[in-house]
Amino acid sequence: MRIRSVELLTLRMPLVAPFTTSFGTQTERFPLLVRVTADDRGREVEGWGECVALERPVYSPEYLDSAREILARELVPLVFADQAAGREVTAESFGELVRPIVGHRMAKAALELALLDAQLRLDGRSLASRLGVTAESVPSGVSVGIQESVPKLVEVVGGYLEDGYVRIKLKIEPGWDVEPVRAIRERFGEVPLQVDANTAYRLSDAQQLRRLDEFGLLLIEQPLAEDDIRQHAELARLIQTPVCLDESIVSLAAAADAVALGAAAVINIKAGRVGGYLEAVRIHDLARANGVAVWCGGMLETGIGRAANAALAGLPGFTLPGDVSASGRFYFEDVTEPVVLEAGRIRIPTGPGIGVTPDPERLARLTVARRTLNA
Ligand code: NPG
């Protein structure tokens, strides 16, 4: 495969409702799409990737402008230079090629996915098949932001359960934890329920977090800071709710440490956070070999990232429902065909590559910035 150009497209998409987490409120999302144009023996294809970095560095050190910058300044030039030196760049060789650039995993993941999509399209093979997935669909959970009141939360959760979501994740923070969870349990009984703190607590909050034990939660996600892996292990000994790590798991090595320390009974895998889908599969394999459950996280992706996440979530170690929800959970209109919920499940695309492409008219309308880099 010869790469001819890489285009960076920044989209602007309003959210159907504000999404509040312990790190702030989002009312719109600026997805960064990567389009690789490549050819092989006279056939030209486009490969698509999506960068999950937020506008501001409140979830991870990366943010939208840093990702665009590092792609244009370092990652894409490395790809072009390797190709100019006579080597074929593939998604499989990409990780090693960009290893000299420290970090910037979300930017790397986006370009890796675009390369993977392009080469799979040339091969006529689906991403799911490439990853070894045989499932046809995955169960769909929904992430529910912090609301203005408990009655409002009950109403919002009721709507999602009516839509068919099979698992509810509540965002929590100090001051919004036990009461909302209690209200959901009282109103909706034993619905599969978990909470996500996005690093909002400290180990000294263990007593408060222990109050969640009585609700039989599937897990508590990332209660402590990203680099507090050892402290998560301590917290896990103080509470009964299984501890799940998200922000802390930035790589296979971090996952291996967390598992060895007993800091993660469960891992949320997000391909963007760990540097790509290939690393995500390695983490899945490690977790599976160690009896650690994993599930697929979400970052308000467009249909591009959602399609790839659905494929990843089809691997056998993904034993818990993921944040792989329908397009309508966050967006009025998606840039691809909308991802829809069918009896609580999302279908894994079967077409070549990620199996979906942006609609040209919607893409043009939603794009607010564009940069093309030519080989
Ligand atoms: O379903 O796409 C989704 C969103 C799920 O809550 C969700 N994501 O902390 O996991 C998270 C959170 C998030 C979203 C984090 C965007 C960072 C950015």
Side-chain angles (χ1 to χ4, degrees), residues 127 131 133 269-271 277 280-281 296 307-315 318:
L127 175 62
L131 300 181
V133 167
I269 298 186
K270 289 177 179 163
Y277 285 83
V281 172
C296 184
N309 286 347
L312 177 68
L315 284 172
F318 285 81

Side-chain angles (χ1 to χ4, degrees), residues 19 23 26 29 54 59 143 169 171 196 198 221 246-247 268 270 298-301 306 323 325 330:
F19 184 53
F23 59 76
Q26 294 170 261
R29 182 81 165 110
L54 296 180
Y59 168 85
S143 173
K169 156 167 146 178
K171 292 290 189 178
D196 182 5
N198 288 112
E221 188 179 352
D246 170 11
E247 282 90 331
N268 165 340
K270 289 177 179 163
M299 299 272 289
L300 282 68
E301 289 89 345
R306 257 159 225 282
D323 284 341
S325 47
F330 290 109

Side-chain angles (χ1 to χ4, degrees), residues 202-263:
R202 296 175 183 240
L203 188 54
S204 53
D205 295 317
Q207 291 297 339
Q208 175 68 8
L209 294 175
R210 202 180 1 216
R211 295 181 61 203
L212 293 169
D213 284 352
E214 65 174 289
F215 301 109
L217 300 176
L218 290 168
L219 56 92
I220 177 168
E221 188 179 352
Q222 196 73 39
L224 312 179
E226 175 179 327
D227 51 3
D228 276 350
I229 293 193
R230 189 188 54 76
Q231 293 197 31
H232 276 103
E234 272 186 47
L235 179 68
R237 288 189 280 273
L238 298 173
I239 64 175
Q240 278 166 22
T241 308
V243 171
C244 169
L245 293 184
D246 170 11
E247 282 90 331
S248 295
I249 307 299
V250 295
S251 63
L252 178 65
D257 287 354
V259 169
L261 284 167

Side-chain angles (χ1 to χ4, degrees), residues 93-142:
S93 69
F94 176 75
E96 209 41 46
L97 177 65
V98 297
R99 194 209 282 276
I101 304 303
V102 179
H104 297 284
R105 294 184 171 94
M106 293 176 175
K108 289 175 180 175
L111 183 50
E112 184 205 79
L113 180 59
L115 292 170
L116 192 52
D117 186 37
Q119 71 198 50
L120 288 169
R121 285 182 199 263
L122 284 166
D123 286 351
R125 187 173 182 202
S126 72
L127 175 62
S129 139
R130 163 67 180 79
L131 300 181
V133 167
T134 52
E136 289 172 6
S137 66
V138 292
S140 177
V142 65

Side-chain angles (χ1 to χ4, degrees), residues 52-174:
V52 296
L54 296 180
E55 244 189 304
R56 296 179 52 233
V58 287
Y59 168 85
S60 62
E62 286 184 90
Y63 56 102
L64 175 62
D65 286 349
S66 80
R68 276 197 299 224
E69 171 74 6
I70 209 75
L71 279 158
R73 179 195 282 249
E74 301 283 355
L75 303 178
V76 174
L78 274 174
V79 166
F80 288 159
D82 204 47
Q83 181 170 265
R87 286 180 288 271
E88 186 181 15
V89 178
T90 62
E92 289 76 13
S93 69
F94 176 75
E96 209 41 46
L97 177 65
V98 297
R99 194 209 282 276
I101 304 303
V102 179
H104 297 284
R105 294 184 171 94
M106 293 176 175
K108 289 175 180 175
L111 183 50
E112 184 205 79
L113 180 59
L115 292 170
L116 192 52
D117 186 37
Q119 71 198 50
L120 288 169
R121 285 182 199 263
L122 284 166
D123 286 351
R125 187 173 182 202
S126 72
L127 175 62
S129 139
R130 163 67 180 79
L131 300 181
V133 167
T134 52
E136 289 172 6
S137 66
V138 292
S140 177
V142 65
S143 173
V144 185
I146 294 165
Q147 307 291 318
E148 66 203 23
S149 68
V150 170
K152 174 75 182 166
L153 176 75
V154 170
E155 180 195 322
V156 169
V157 168
Y160 290 135
L161 290 173
E162 246 167 58
D163 290 345
Y165 287 107
V166 301
R167 182 229 67 195
I168 300 292
K169 156 167 146 178
L170 301 182
K171 292 290 189 178
I172 59 167
E173 64 182 1

